[in-house]
């Protein structure tokens, strides 16, 4: 059986989750008028950028099992 082990797909899942969390934090900042959520949103954006830099070097490997 041949299975493609694609790290890129895993990075995309992480990025999607972080993007949703970032959007939710910004929504809470707006609805609650709380700058702490704005700070959290910014921190999540920075995390996404860092992960994106690492993901750019993610290889695709063909694994035989």
């Amino acid at each position: 059986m041949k299975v493609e082990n694609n790290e890129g797909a895993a990075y995309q899942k992480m990025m999607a989750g972080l993007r949703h969390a970032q959007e939710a934090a910004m929504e809470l900042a707006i609805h609650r008028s709380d700058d702490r959520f704005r700070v959290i949103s910014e921190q999540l954006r920075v995390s996404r950028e860092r992960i994106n830099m690492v993901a750019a070097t993610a290889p695709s490997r063909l694994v035989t099992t």
Side-chain angles (χ1 to χ4, degrees):
M1 172 196 259
K2 292 183 180 181
V3 177
E4 186 177 0
N5 180 11
N6 188 342
E7 289 181 28
Y11 284 113
Q12 288 176 357
K13 287 179 186 178
M14 282 193 339
M15 294 294 283
L18 287 171
R19 186 182 69 246
H20 290 303
Q22 181 185 3
E23 291 170 359
M26 188 53 74
E27 289 174 9
L28 286 168
I30 293 167
H31 291 300
R32 297 184 67 184
S33 298
D34 190 338
D35 282 336
R36 292 178 294 182
F37 288 107
R38 213 173 293 279
V39 170
I40 291 169
S41 178
E42 178 63 18
Q43 290 170 339
L44 289 167
R45 184 190 64 76
V46 170
S47 293
R48 285 179 57 216
E49 288 176 359
R50 289 180 181 158
I51 291 169
N52 200 34
M53 286 188 287
V54 174
T57 63
S60 290
R61 290 190 294 269
L62 192 61
V63 178
T64 304
T65 58

